[in-house]
Amino acid sequence: MDKEKLLIGIIVGVLAQILTFFQLQGQMKYEWFKNHYWLVVLMGIPISMLFMYSVKSMVSAYGGEMWPSRLIGFSIGAVVFTYFSWYLFGEPLTMKTIICLILSFSILGVQLFMK
């Protein structure tokens, strides 16, 4: 496993997930997102490019295997979404959410530390 490519893939993936959160949920918090619908839609192009680069880096890091990148991306997305929905919207961390986070971290751990 190429740790440098994996780290780059994870960092770019986190950035893409953060931008996606704002693209999709920003309209519920910020008027700008409501008032600039087509600009928000067009944000999807660079966000998609970030996701593509992230996946390419992670697949390369795992020697061409695709599943690790998918599962790492899923886990990152769950953590980012939970954090921002709690921080920006005040959504509580219910037992169900906590269990899902534990499962996400477990999936992430399996992908990063098991051969």
Side-chain angles (χ1 to χ4, degrees):
M1 172 177 31
D2 186 333
K3 292 181 182 180
E4 183 178 328
K5 287 182 181 178
L6 178 61
L7 183 60
I8 290 168
I10 289 172
I11 291 169
V12 173
V14 168
L15 176 61
Q17 290 287 356
I18 291 169
L19 293 173
T20 298
F21 181 89
F22 283 100
Q23 181 192 29
L24 301 178
Q25 277 72 39
Q27 62 185 325
M28 271 62 92
K29 178 121 177 125
Y30 304 108
E31 285 297 317
W32 187 91
F33 286 86
K34 285 182 187 177
N35 298 332
H36 296 90
Y37 179 82
W38 286 106
L39 287 176
V40 175
V41 168
L42 291 173
M43 286 172 54
I45 295 170
I47 292 171
S48 294
M49 293 170 69
L50 288 172
F51 276 121
M52 291 169 67
Y53 186 76
S54 171
V55 169
K56 182 179 178 180
S57 295
M58 286 192 278
V59 168
S60 178
Y62 280 94
E65 293 181 43
M66 291 187 290
W67 268 110
S69 71
R70 178 66 186 110
L71 295 170
I72 291 169
F74 164 78
S75 298
I76 291 168
V79 171
V80 167
F81 187 90
T82 301
Y83 173 76
F84 280 106
S85 63
W86 167 79
Y87 182 75
L88 294 174
F89 292 95
E91 289 197 18
L93 291 176
T94 63
M95 184 56 68
K96 182 169 69 171
T97 303
I98 292 168
I99 291 169
C100 288
L101 279 176
I102 291 168
L103 290 170
S104 292
F105 281 115
S106 299
I107 290 169
L108 190 58
V110 166
Q111 293 305 311
L112 294 177
F113 303 115
M114 287 185 71
K115 288 193 175 201

